[in-house]
Amino acid sequence: MPRVGSSLTPEAPALHITDEAAITPAHGEELRVEALVSDGESVAQGQPLLRLRAMPDMYLTAPMAGRVAKIELRPGHRLSQMVLFHEAGGDRYAYDVSLAGADADELRRVLQMSGLWRQFRSRPFGRVPKPGAIPAAIFVIATDSRPDAPDPAPQLTHREAEFSRGLDALARLSEARIFLCQAEASSYTGALPAGVSRVITGKVHPNGLSGLMIHRHMPARVEAPVWDIHAEDVADIGSFLETGYVPATRVVSISGSGDALREAKLVQCQPGADLRGLSQPLLRPGPHVVVSGSFLDGRPAHWLSLRDRQVTVLTRDTATNNRHWFNEALDHVSRRAPIIPTAALDLAFGGVLPAAALVRVLASGDVEGFTRLGGLSLLEEDLALADYATGARPRLMTQVRAILDRIEEEEGVA
Amino acid sequence: MRRGMWDREMVAALLLMASMPMVLTWLWFGGVEAIGRLALTLIISGLWHMVFMLARAQPPSLAGALSAIAVAMLAPEDLGLIRLALGVSFGTVAAELVFGGWGRNVLNPATVTIAFLGFGFPAEPWPEFVAPVIWAALPALGIGAMFGILSMRVIFAAFVALGIAYFGGDPAISVILPTAVLVLALLVTDPVAGASTSLGRWLYGAAYGGFVILFAYEWEGAAPVQMAVSAAFLASLFAPLFDEAALALWVRRRRKRHG
């Protein structure tokens, strides 16, 4: 696939606040919420807008200053989306963070109130951790090896003070070991607080995936969950604890196939930004799909998803299907072709997992075997490359989600 | 969103391509007789794939052609049409198609076919190969390893085992060595029936080499092809065991490190 991806310049990404933005649940996440504002109300950037009914300490906050356009709830107060219109010159919501420096409980409270807590992801199962949850380790991911992903290193060098304040805060949050994962020893050279260990991952995909690093250094178990968080989110936490304002933007790369996009670009936009608005100035004419995430693990979306820092634009496949009716029928009724264990499959797992055995336990839905092979450290994104490489049907990403959901249900932690 | 290229049929096509140096050389030196044998095995194996496609909706695979080639090259000679057809039918159906087609089979169908014919009709002479066909096995292995469809570990382990015995200087080994390399390329390196973990692959390749050496010393009066195919058959029976052992070891090592 010809890709536009070379002109991603890291220095000073242009600010691009889209006219609309939305708060949406992450893929597969169920948020039962209570709205704190109503349609048409003006809100400040960072202001708490929604509260979780099951966990009253957890809030979702406004990604930008503006006006509430609509709140869409499905039955049972389940959030579908909450859309906001941008208004220039709006206020920023200030939090009182004066006590968070000394008290760990207070630190948790302000992080949960400001919505920054939602950037944590807990494994196994890949959910936002519960308010009182205690991790066995926290992995700070300062690398992203997915194709055309923005490199966090220049941002971190630029925000070194904030980042190290964020790391301090993580260290105060729990007793957990903290790992800072970076592509090369030279990617981030700032001083680290005591108790933070550096992990060098290498630049080649899939080595930068947090799942593989967690698998290698501190496998997640149901009774010992491991959290991961992007390094820029840690810097956001640092900046928040300094100023009391929730940082308003994140660096996002827009890339895609050469026939869908004129140029790749790095921009700063608000969380939950409107993907059409972001990619509009760069598009070539023709049908296309906008994906939140990379082309390996992304999903077609209207809004930038919770932890995504990448937008991919692909041409939509409009070719009419001219296949013979017999092949079509055979495809419908036959079992899908199995995956042949080749070097491609081994490399798609970075060579650290027994790939063929893992694919087999996934296909047979063998929970015990999956746990034994360290599957609890994995999430969908960790199998995205294997999915792409082997063209597996049904997709490994779907299979791993299904088996994780089953384990979650059996363990009764849902 | 997008799909890569390493699906089953692509791997089968690449395996077929990798085996071409060997196959074409063999056809060149074998002449009309070789072409006739190959056509026969291809037709019979193709017919069974067709039957399973129509009756059980199993899409046929190019790997069927791969097995047909191996059988045509390695099966005993002078079997006659009926017995060869019987052997190929047994191997294709019982070792591959009833399991759900290529990729779900446990043993290599060609290995099963040849072993079946060898044990069933022990009086028939085994084929012998001219030197260029043997040499052509090396580029076949090289192409396969380069594309990652044949395991480098299996090839290395087998070569190391055979090499040690060869440089040990026993004449029995130098007789069987060329054929052992050919069978390595045709049967042993099959990615489906072989081992799939890294340690398992080392053990599997070494086991093949070990069995070849054992037969070279202890099996009086057997033809080189017979010994090499039997070694391939035995090694592939052990492959799941090697994998299981490698996984158990891997899990134990991780448990020790991570608690």
Side-chain angles (χ1 to χ4, degrees):
Chain A
M1 184 175 72
R3 287 213 316 260
V4 192
S6 53
S7 64
L8 292 178
T9 41
E11 64 272 354
L15 189 67
H16 185 165
I17 299 293
T18 55
D19 292 338
E20 297 177 25
I23 303 175
T24 51
H27 181 81
E29 189 182 28
E30 191 180 273
L31 295 176
R32 288 164 176 262
V33 295
E34 180 186 335
L36 306 175
V37 291
S38 50
D39 287 4
E41 215 169 299
S42 272
V43 298
Q45 185 268 330
Q47 178 184 340
L49 301 185
L50 298 165
R51 176 159 63 184
L52 298 197
R53 292 167 75 90
M55 298 169 237
D57 293 337
M58 294 272 243
Y59 293 84
L60 286 81
T61 55
M64 60 182 178
R67 195 171 290 280
V68 178
K70 58 181 173 186
I71 307 173
E72 283 181 18
L73 298 178
R74 287 182 289 121
H77 299 272
R78 290 187 183 86
L79 178 66
S80 168
Q81 58 178 5
M82 177 176 190
V83 183
L84 296 108
F85 292 139
H86 180 235
E87 274 176 7
D91 284 338
R92 297 185 77 180
Y93 190 90
Y95 288 85
D96 176 16
V97 290
S98 53
L99 295 174
D103 183 18
D105 289 340
E106 176 66 12
L107 176 62
R108 270 177 191 257
R109 198 188 67 77
V110 291
L111 287 181
Q112 286 158 12
M113 179 125 193
S114 64
L116 287 168
W117 184 266
R118 284 177 56 73
Q119 302 300 335
F120 287 116
R121 180 170 57 177
S122 167
R123 298 175 194 236
F125 317 127
R127 313 280 184 212
V128 174
K130 300 254 163 64
I134 294 172
I138 302 178
F139 280 72
V140 178
I141 311 299
T143 170
D144 198 339
S145 57
R146 281 172 287 197
D148 298 336
D151 181 10
Q155 290 296 318
L156 290 184
T157 318
H158 180 64
R159 303 174 67 184
E160 196 176 320
E162 292 169 5
F163 182 54
S164 95
R165 195 173 301 113
L167 283 177
D168 273 334
L170 290 193
R172 272 186 286 117
L173 201 59
S174 71
E175 307 276 284
R177 283 181 70 187
I178 298 174
F179 295 87
L180 171 64
C181 305
Q182 53 190 65
E184 289 166 334
S186 57
S187 332
Y188 178 76
T189 48
L192 299 182
V196 179
S197 22
R198 229 184 266 268
V199 172
I200 309 297
T201 65
K203 288 194 124 158
V204 183
H205 198 58
N207 291 318
L209 284 174
S210 42
L212 296 188
M213 286 178 263
I214 290 171
H215 170 83
R216 196 177 296 168
H217 296 285
M218 193 89 182
R221 285 175 289 142
V222 175
E223 63 279 8
V226 175
W227 297 0
D228 64 272
I229 184 169
H230 194 275
E232 284 176 52
D233 292 327
V234 176
D236 282 354
I237 290 176
S239 138
F240 168 71
L241 292 177
E242 167 83 359
T243 61
Y245 295 115
V246 178
T249 60
R250 61 167 62 171
V251 177
V252 168
S253 79
I254 306 168
S255 64
S257 57
D259 41 2
L261 210 62
R262 282 202 315 274
E263 55 165 341
K265 207 175 167 189
L266 215 52
V267 296
Q268 284 194 59
C269 64
Q270 71 273 51
D274 176 18
L275 300 184
R276 302 249 157 219
L278 269 187
S279 55
Q280 192 64 44
L282 305 169
L283 289 179
R284 280 184 202 282
H288 51 257
V289 204
V290 184
V291 173
S292 176
S294 73
F295 79 93
L296 294 173
D297 60 355
R299 295 188 171 85
H302 191 162
W303 314 103
L304 189 63
S305 299
L306 178 59
R307 300 182 191 89
D308 283 345
R309 300 186 131 76
Q310 209 179 341
V311 181
T312 309
V313 186
L314 302 168
T315 44
R316 184 144 32 94
D317 200 9
T318 48
T320 46
N321 213 341
N322 282 332
R323 297 179 62 198
H324 193 271
W325 63 267
F326 185 81
N327 291 337
E328 200 72 35
L330 190 61
D331 255 13
H332 268 286
V333 292
S334 61
R335 283 171 82 191
R336 297 301 184 175
I339 295 173
I340 307 297
T342 56
L345 183 66
D346 289 337
L347 291 178
F349 285 101
V352 296
L353 279 158
L358 189 67
V359 167
R360 210 173 302 134
V361 296
L362 277 179
S364 59
D366 169 11
V367 168
E368 201 178 309
F370 179 74
T371 314
R372 183 166 155 253
L373 294 179
L376 290 180
S377 304
L378 302 180
L379 288 179
E380 286 106 312
E381 60 172 37
D382 303 312
L383 286 101
L385 183 62
D387 238 346
Y388 171 76
T390 59
R393 288 284 183 278
R395 304 191 69 177
L396 296 170
M397 286 164 81
T398 325
Q399 295 180 25
V400 80
R401 183 31 76 191
I403 204 167
L404 283 174
D405 284 349
R406 225 170 78 208
I407 298 173
E408 196 173 14
E409 202 174 297
E410 280 170 13
E411 295 285 342
V413 285
Chain B
M1 288 301 297
R2 293 288 189 262
R3 299 187 60 180
M5 55 176 277
W6 297 99
D7 61 1
R8 181 177 80 153
E9 285 316 295
M10 178 54 100
V11 175
L14 285 172
L15 280 171
L16 208 55
M17 188 198 77
S19 71
M20 275 306 134
M22 214 164 29
V23 177
L24 293 177
T25 326
W26 174 70
L27 285 177
W28 179 263
F29 286 97
V32 181
E33 197 188 331
I35 295 174
R37 255 164 91 93
L38 181 56
L40 184 66
T41 53
L42 276 174
I43 288 169
I44 297 164
S45 145
L47 277 178
W48 280 114
H49 275 84
M50 220 43 82
V51 167
F52 270 76
M53 176 174 74
L54 296 174
R56 310 248 344 209
Q58 260 169 226
S61 165
L62 275 177
L66 212 63
S67 312
I69 288 172
V71 172
M73 286 178 75
L74 296 172
E77 289 173 327
D78 304 333
L79 281 173
L81 184 83
I82 302 294
R83 289 191 283 180
L84 189 59
L86 198 69
V88 174
S89 301
F90 172 77
T92 314
V93 174
E96 180 179 351
L97 292 173
V98 294
F99 289 99
W102 192 59
R104 296 198 165 89
N105 52 326
V106 183
L107 293 171
N108 184 331
T111 316
V112 172
T113 307
I114 301 161
F116 173 80
L117 288 170
F119 288 120
F121 311 108
E124 306 303 333
W126 289 87
E128 277 169 20
F129 295 96
V130 292
V133 179
I134 306 286
W135 283 108
L138 294 179
L141 286 170
I143 295 173
M146 198 178 73
F147 279 101
I149 46 178
L150 305 186
S151 166
M152 208 98 80
R153 296 188 174 88
V154 173
I155 299 172
F156 271 137
F159 270 111
V160 166
L162 292 171
I164 290 172
Y166 179 72
F167 290 109
D170 199 282
I173 296 296
S174 48
V175 175
I176 193 181
L177 185 67
T179 318
V181 173
L182 187 75
V183 170
L184 177 70
L186 275 172
L187 301 179
V188 182
T189 45
D190 171 17
V192 174
S196 63
T197 53
S198 16
L199 177 62
R201 280 170 176 158
W202 283 112
L203 292 174
Y204 172 65
Y208 168 68
F211 281 126
V212 167
I213 297 163
L214 184 72
F215 292 154
Y217 280 118
E218 300 293 338
W219 194 348
E220 300 275 327
V225 175
Q226 191 178 11
M227 292 193 243
V229 169
S230 304
F233 186 63
L234 275 178
S236 70
L237 286 178
F238 277 99
L241 183 69
F242 293 146
D243 270 347
E244 203 50 47
L247 281 181
L249 205 66
W250 183 81
V251 167
R252 175 189 285 194
R253 248 201 340 247
R254 279 181 60 78
R255 195 161 289 159
K256 204 175 267 175
R257 182 164 1 129
H258 298 294

